[in-house]
Amino acid sequence: MSYEMWEGQAVALAGAAASGRRAAAWVRSLSAPPLPAPVGDWLAGELPAAIETAMSGLDPQECDHMASDGRVVDGTGGVDAGTISTLAAVPAVLPEAGWLAPDQQARLLAVTSAVTGAVRLIAQDPGTAILHGLLTRVCAVLDHAARPAGVAVL
């Protein structure tokens, strides 16, 4: 089965990867805990790596589809379950990151929500996500949430 790219797909996916790199850089820039803690290491390493992996790995070919036997197959959007699991852990981990300001914690939630949202958009309806700018809009939210402190992104 051949696959034809949608108009603007390469640009949209490149933009998503760039947004993911910026978001990961912001997460890495967050202050470390006053004392070494596992959640501090996780925030500095595993979480930003998952953000980059997800946003650079978006694959419209990995969308929801019907198998040859008529079974519905949920797409992955090109992102593996382990990466999604890392992103989904943020709400449970944030209470342990008490050294971060509430604004930083809220922005971490927004970042991971935008990333998982981008993955679901590509998995569920990549054509609409790309052709109608939905992926680009999610990336704008991601960029806003991951902006350097005090810098508003318009």
Side-chain angles (χ1 to χ4, degrees):
M1 177 181 197
S2 68
Y3 172 79
E4 289 189 34
M5 291 178 57
W6 284 280
E7 183 178 334
Q9 177 175 322
V11 170
L13 294 177
S19 287
R21 286 189 299 275
R22 288 188 295 272
W26 174 74
V27 174
R28 287 184 185 104
S29 77
L30 294 172
S31 62
L35 299 172
V39 72
D41 294 340
W42 185 83
L43 283 171
E46 192 173 339
L47 179 60
I51 291 166
E52 280 184 293
T53 297
M55 294 303 288
S56 66
L58 296 175
D59 184 355
Q61 292 186 71
E62 295 295 325
C63 62
D64 296 349
H65 61 279
M66 187 76 68
S68 59
D69 63 2
R71 190 175 37 88
V72 175
V73 178
D74 288 332
T76 64
V79 181
D80 66 273
T83 299
I84 293 298
S85 178
T86 298
L87 296 167
V90 169
V93 170
L94 279 182
E96 297 177 43
W99 70 92
L100 295 176
D103 176 68
Q104 292 171 318
Q105 292 183 353
R107 289 168 58 194
L108 274 170
L109 285 170
V111 163
T112 55
S113 178
V115 172
T116 55
V119 173
R120 289 311 315 149
L121 278 171
I122 294 299
Q124 292 174 347
D125 191 357
T128 299
I130 292 166
L131 293 172
H132 296 287
L134 301 179
L135 179 60
T136 300
R137 281 185 264 171
V138 168
C139 290
V141 170
L142 178 59
D143 284 337
H144 185 78
R147 71 195 183 281
V151 178
V153 178
L154 301 176

